[in-house]
Amino acid sequence: MLLVKNLSFAYKEKKVLHNINFTLEPGEQLSVIGESGSGKSTLLKTVYGLLQPATGTIFWKGKKLLGPDYNLVPGEDFIKYQAQDYDLMAPLTVAENVGKFLSNFYPRKKQQRIAELLELVGMSDFAQRRPDELSGGQQQRVALARVLAREPELLLLDEPFSNIDNFKKSALRRELFKYLKQQGIASIVATHENADSLSFSDHTLVMKNGKIVHRGHPSILYQKPKTKYVARLFGEVNQLPLSWFEEDKKGLVLVYPHELIPDADGHIIAIVSDSYFEGHSYLNKARVGRRNIFFRSEKGIPNEFAVNLRLKNGVLETRLNE
Ligand code: ADP
Ligand code: MG
């Protein structure tokens, strides 16, 4: 089990992590989301043992991890870490890269393991290629296979799907997280892409300026975001006056675009300024008075068209009640 307690870190004078606390059980999946520069990569590097914490402690199964100042070779053995930049060995083939850290003692077993991992990341057909013949996304998949080669107990992945096209991404993500669960490998995935977090993690930490500003199951973060920052990680969001929906009510409420529903009886009148096709629906940008809002519709809407909107049932109750 991983226990991170009061962890902080500074690059020279600049404090980048403030008082981080969390735990992770074997086989659990944690995602760390937050805007660029919020400290996600720094957190992973500190947990892995590449950066020495300024304060705080990290325990793994009750044993204190000492950090790079006390270890001859930085990085803990039972942890595997894939950095945002994955450095594959140029002279080696894909298969050799994946097998680089596997023992040569049982060559047949080693080849089987390499084949199994390349299959997992969908790169079997490229086993004999060299990294410079691969696209960025393909290199990223090979790097993923490589960190899995010697089964880690804890896997740290920094933006693991950033270069992989959507076409391949969904399938890879499903396969990878299924594999991690089956093998009981705990993981921490840093990402600014919410879908990574939504479907596959047991817990999510939301970071901003080096602090954890919100944490919980992704569905709770989505349904009851405490701030616009949290809601915004899931896509566009409106922050609207409560008085639009309930007379005399003060304050603001966060409303996702699909929660504003075109309805002839709706009393919010929005003038559409842009309508974006997004496959399952259109995302419309519109003006209500001087405020810009977003709402969804099944069909595209011409510019300057007026649309009556109402709030989806139950939204206020969800957002306002603790
Ligand atoms: P994220 O991964 O969430 O984008 P990072 O952990 O990379 O964030 O960075 C957090 C903050 O630390 C940023 O303000 C960044 O500019 C700063 N930072 C990152 N790496 C270094 C470094 N090697 N030296 C100094 N500052 C750094
Ligand atoms: Mg980063």
Side-chain angles (χ1 to χ4, degrees), residues 168-185:
K168 303 256 167 47
K169 189 155 34 187
S170 319
L172 175 60
R173 215 186 254 146
R174 278 194 301 272
E175 292 304 314
L176 174 69
F177 286 107
K178 192 167 84 188
Y179 178 82
L180 297 180
K181 269 271 179 284
Q182 275 168 358
Q183 307 295 319
I185 300 171

Side-chain angles (χ1 to χ4, degrees), residues 136-149:
Q138 291 169 333
Q139 292 182 26
Q140 195 166 26
R141 285 189 274 152
V142 175
L144 201 53
R146 192 181 51 179
V147 290
L148 289 170

Side-chain angles (χ1 to χ4, degrees), residues 195-212:
D196 294 5
S197 149
L198 262 188
S199 352
F200 299 104
S201 35
D202 301 307
H203 298 283
T204 296
L205 304 179
V206 182
M207 290 192 69
K208 187 181 183 186
N209 298 330
K211 297 194 182 87
I212 296 175

Side-chain angles (χ1 to χ4, degrees), residues 11 40-51 74-87 101 143-144 146-148 150 152-160 186 188-190:
Y11 289 106
K40 305 180 296 292
S41 296
T42 305
L43 176 60
L44 293 196
K45 286 178 195 164
T46 312
V47 170
Y48 181 50
L50 293 177
L51 300 173
E76 297 289 338
D77 231 15
F78 59 90
I79 309 181
K80 282 285 169 286
Y81 162 71
Q82 186 185 334
Q84 247 169 307
D85 45 4
Y86 26 90
D87 56 325
F101 301 111
L144 201 53
R146 192 181 51 179
V147 290
L148 289 170
R150 275 170 51 189
E153 292 177 65
L154 173 61
L155 182 64
L156 309 178
L157 300 175
D158 201 345
E159 310 277 358
I188 307 180
V189 178

Side-chain angles (χ1 to χ4, degrees), residues 17-18 49 75 86 110 159 190 231 234 259 284 313:
L17 297 178
H18 304 262
Y86 26 90
K110 177 171 169 174
E159 310 277 358
F234 299 105
E259 294 170 334
N284 306 290
N313 295 336

